[in-house]
Amino acid sequence: MQAYTSQFENPIVQSTRDKEPSHFIFEIESFSSLQKSIATTGTDRIESSEFSAGGQRWALVIYPNGNKKQEVSNGCISLYLKMLDKPIGGQSVYTSFKFFIFDKIRETYTIIQDVRERKFDAGHLEWGVVQALSIADFNDRNKGWLVNDSCTFGAEVYVIGGTAATSRLSLTTTRSSYPFRWQVHDFSSRTTDVDSSTFDIEGQPWKLHLHIGIDDKAGEVRSPSLYLCLDNGTNLIGGRKVLVHCEIVIKDELFGNKDTKSVVYWFDSDNNCYNIGNILEDGTLENQPQHEGQTQTQTQDRTVTFEATIKKVFSCSDIFED
């Protein structure tokens, strides 16, 4: 991609691509004959047939010998976009547009674009690039733009308008009033997954889920994992999300060991559960030696307590303008 600044205009960006223009293609045969006719008759421009883009009608205007009204156009082809429907009542149409010239040798399109958006209104129906392309370069067959006295131009026009969809990310809560407390009994001997009851934060139901990883052959707990889940993820429709910062304390009531896990995660309708991880990895809930007076049954039937405290919730909400 190449950027340059003309003597008269804002910076112009020149690049190439393989894909043809989306909105308009203008093929011209016998270009040199047309160019000479224009020079002798005083008609200095070629205006294409109309095309539609962005709900408006347009035409591509080519000055093969340059726009003589602009002195700086000498030696350059000028390209313009003309709006055919004159806005009324002070209305304006803002656009971003690109001009295209087809390279027949390399089969690519050269793109010429003014970096600024342009405002079309009743007093200004044409905008363009005065120094779009050197006439000498255009006539150079090795460039591929003019081959067998024929050439192809094009245009893409993007109307900037309508009402943008707006979403706001805001801090909706700074801390839950109390931690949610959940006890899982018979932890060491449990072989099935279990869910906590739900707890409400900012109108959303949450729960903890304990997944029991079982070795099929040994039948022993291998990797129990704890999840924080949005109980009804379908509440977050239309791409809405919530960012949750939660701390979960895991306590072994039998041995008194405890650990704190921190969660920061984006929840939405497709990602409504977060895996906090294997709760055995840090050794907090590993089987401990029996204390004096404890039976094997007591060790197996120990209780584990989970306390979840929501520290912060950031919520994305849509904003509708009246």
Side-chain angles (χ1 to χ4, degrees), residues 215-236:
D215 183 294
D216 291 335
K217 295 181 179 179
E220 298 177 352
V221 176
R222 293 299 186 193
S223 56
S225 297
L226 184 66
Y227 291 77
L228 174 65
C229 299
L230 181 58
D231 190 47
N232 188 1
T234 57
N235 285 349
L236 297 177

Side-chain angles (χ1 to χ4, degrees), residues 278-292:
N278 183 344
I279 59 178
L280 293 183
E281 285 181 342
D282 60 3
T284 301
L285 301 181
E286 291 283 11
N287 289 328
Q288 304 287 334
Q290 289 178 231
H291 294 178
E292 185 177 353

Side-chain angles (χ1 to χ4, degrees), residues 119-320:
K119 177 184 176 181
F120 289 80
D121 54 29
H124 213 138
L125 295 175
E126 292 187 14
W127 283 104
V129 180
V130 178
Q131 296 176 324
L133 199 66
S134 163
I135 294 175
D137 287 343
F138 181 76
N139 290 329
D140 183 350
R141 192 186 185 285
N142 293 326
K143 300 288 187 181
W145 294 316
L146 184 64
V147 176
N148 296 327
D149 208 23
S150 67
C151 54
T152 300
F153 292 86
E156 287 182 352
V157 185
Y158 300 95
V159 174
I160 304 169
T163 302
T166 305
S167 180
R168 176 181 294 135
L169 179 62
S170 55
L171 179 62
T172 57
T173 187
T174 55
R175 180 181 289 269
S176 54
S177 57
Y178 55 89
F180 170 74
R181 192 167 185 267
W182 177 43
Q183 288 191 323
V184 177
H185 302 289
D186 305 331
F187 175 82
S188 297
S189 58
R190 184 170 292 278
T191 59
T192 58
D193 293 3
V194 59
D195 286 337
S196 73
S197 59
T198 59
F199 56 101
D200 183 89
I201 298 294
E202 291 297 318
Q204 297 288 349
W206 299 86
K207 69 179 180 181
L208 297 176
H209 172 79
L210 182 62
H211 172 69
I212 305 296
I214 299 295
D215 183 294
D216 291 335
K217 295 181 179 179
E220 298 177 352
V221 176
R222 293 299 186 193
S223 56
S225 297
L226 184 66
Y227 291 77
L228 174 65
C229 299
L230 181 58
D231 190 47
N232 188 1
T234 57
N235 285 349
L236 297 177
I237 60 176
R240 291 186 59 219
K241 296 182 177 183
V242 290
L243 177 65
V244 174
H245 178 194
C246 177
E247 285 189 354
I248 299 176
V249 176
I250 305 170
K251 183 178 181 181
D252 185 335
E253 298 291 351
L254 181 62
F255 298 109
N257 301 325
K258 68 178 182 179
D259 182 38
T260 300
K261 305 284 188 181
S262 183
V263 176
V264 179
Y265 187 69
W266 282 102
F267 291 84
D268 57 34
S269 58
D270 295 323
N271 302 281
N272 60 353
C273 276
Y274 176 75
N275 184 357
I276 298 169
N278 183 344
I279 59 178
L280 293 183
E281 285 181 342
D282 60 3
T284 301
L285 301 181
E286 291 283 11
N287 289 328
Q288 304 287 334
Q290 289 178 231
H291 294 178
E292 185 177 353
Q294 289 178 339
T295 66
Q296 181 67 27
T297 299
Q298 286 176 318
T299 302
Q300 292 177 344
D301 295 344
R302 60 180 169 166
T303 296
V304 175
T305 300
F306 301 93
E307 290 187 353
T309 302
I310 302 295
K311 311 289 284 185
K312 294 180 182 179
V313 176
F314 292 86
S315 178
C316 276
S317 58
D318 295 329
I319 300 173
F320 299 96

Side-chain angles (χ1 to χ4, degrees), residues 60-79:
L60 176 61
V61 178
I62 303 171
Y63 292 83
N65 300 307
N67 183 359
K68 302 304 181 183
K69 295 178 182 179
Q70 306 292 343
E71 294 181 0
V72 295
S73 70
N74 291 338
C76 291
I77 293 174
S78 302
L79 298 175

